[in-house]
Amino acid sequence: MKKWIVTINQWLKQGLPGYCAFCLTGRSSSAGWCDECFALLPWNLHSCEQCAEPLAGVAGKRCSHCLTEPPSFTTTTASLCYQDTITSLVHDFKFHGSPRAGMLLVELMLSRCPSQMASALLPVPMYPGRAKERGFNQAQWLAERLGDRLDLPVMQAHCIKHLPSQRSLNRRERQQNLASAFMVDTEMPAHVTIIDDVVTTGATGHALATVLLEQGAKRVDIWAAARTPLQKS
């Protein structure tokens, strides 16, 4: 990681076209990075096929949580781990509203698309008061741009429960916190993909997917920019 000599904040301020967003060398691809930095990102190479939880060993298996308590969603695409440079990138997008950081996350998501694309995208909704406080819903922002690039419609759900911060909650506590939190008032297409910035335990995706299935969806997947590492979930 010695190459990360320029901080996220520095390149966000400069945003130089033609330069790598991570190291500022003039060898960037059209997506905004050079090959070396792209290879050094914290890729989630070995993960649960259902919730994308990082696993030790070969990818394509299911974790113990998904085996014992299968979630309502079918698969999760989260090709990066929420650590190192990706943590800074998500933080700048989510809490500082940086469009430069957001577009880079979009490009990184598009670099590793789901193997089976749904017929519609649906961002994780945010309680209106929380969205007003933050200024925008990061999942909605990502979904709109992914929808434009992939020519897919963006569906909507509603968060009807003011949820306290879930950062310090474990999987079980998050599930209890999310009970009756979401509502959908339109019929869903057969295959829907939930869009979020980071998947931590999969509890949010499970709660939302349950509602989508009740509204007519036959399959629900998740597509996020990153997955929280095993030891932190």
Side-chain angles (χ1 to χ4, degrees):
M1 291 296 176
K2 291 182 179 180
K3 196 177 181 185
W4 315 119
I5 57 174
V6 179
T7 66
I8 292 294
N9 285 335
Q10 286 175 313
W11 64 254
L12 284 174
K13 290 178 181 178
Q14 297 181 53
L16 299 174
Y19 286 78
C20 173
F22 299 106
C23 69
L24 285 184
T25 60
R27 305 193 307 271
S28 75
S29 66
S30 59
W33 51 69
C34 69
D35 291 342
E36 185 177 350
C37 285
F38 187 71
L40 288 173
L41 291 173
W43 295 104
N44 188 14
L45 298 177
H46 306 294
S47 62
C48 171
E49 62 183 0
Q50 192 161 11
C51 74
E53 183 171 56
L55 299 174
V58 181
K61 297 181 179 180
R62 288 196 291 167
C63 67
S64 59
H65 294 296
C66 291
L67 287 171
T68 57
E69 297 181 61
S72 297
F73 52 84
T74 302
T75 64
T76 299
T77 300
S79 299
L80 290 156
C81 289
Y82 185 59
Q83 59 189 33
D84 303 328
T85 304
I86 298 304
T87 302
S88 298
L89 188 63
V90 171
H91 188 276
D92 282 316
F93 169 58
K94 189 171 184 175
F95 298 108
H96 300 301
S98 167
R100 170 73 168 152
M103 285 309 303
L104 192 57
L105 288 174
V106 168
E107 295 295 343
L108 288 170
M109 292 175 73
L110 288 170
S111 74
R112 298 287 189 273
C113 289
S115 57
Q116 288 186 258
M117 192 63 69
S119 53
L121 307 178
L122 187 144
V124 172
M126 186 179 289
Y127 189 73
R130 180 67 61 82
K132 184 177 181 180
E133 177 183 319
R134 181 170 294 172
F136 78 120
N137 177 350
Q138 71 277 0
Q140 178 75 35
W141 196 96
L142 292 172
E144 289 173 354
R145 279 141 191 85
L146 291 169
D148 286 344
R149 295 284 292 275
L150 299 170
D151 195 25
L152 290 173
V154 177
M155 311 293 289
Q156 298 297 328
H158 308 283
C159 181
I160 57 176
K161 180 180 178 181
H162 187 271
L163 301 171
S165 175
Q166 301 205 115
R167 294 180 197 173
S168 61
L169 303 182
N170 61 31
R171 188 186 302 265
R172 183 68 63 185
E173 291 169 335
R174 285 172 183 248
Q175 289 175 339
Q176 295 172 349
N177 198 26
L178 289 159
S180 303
F182 301 119
M183 180 186 75
V184 177
D185 52 18
T186 58
E187 186 175 345
M188 288 290 111
H191 189 183
V192 182
T193 293
I194 295 170
I195 302 296
D196 206 356
D197 56 344
V198 179
V199 172
T200 302
T201 66
T204 299
H206 169 70
L208 185 52
T210 299
V211 175
L212 300 183
L213 292 170
E214 291 173 351
Q215 285 298 112
K218 303 301 181 184
R219 170 173 172 167
V220 180
D221 297 327
I222 298 174
W223 186 12
R227 181 58 155 90
T228 302
L230 176 65
Q231 67 272 18
K232 296 183 180 180
S233 65

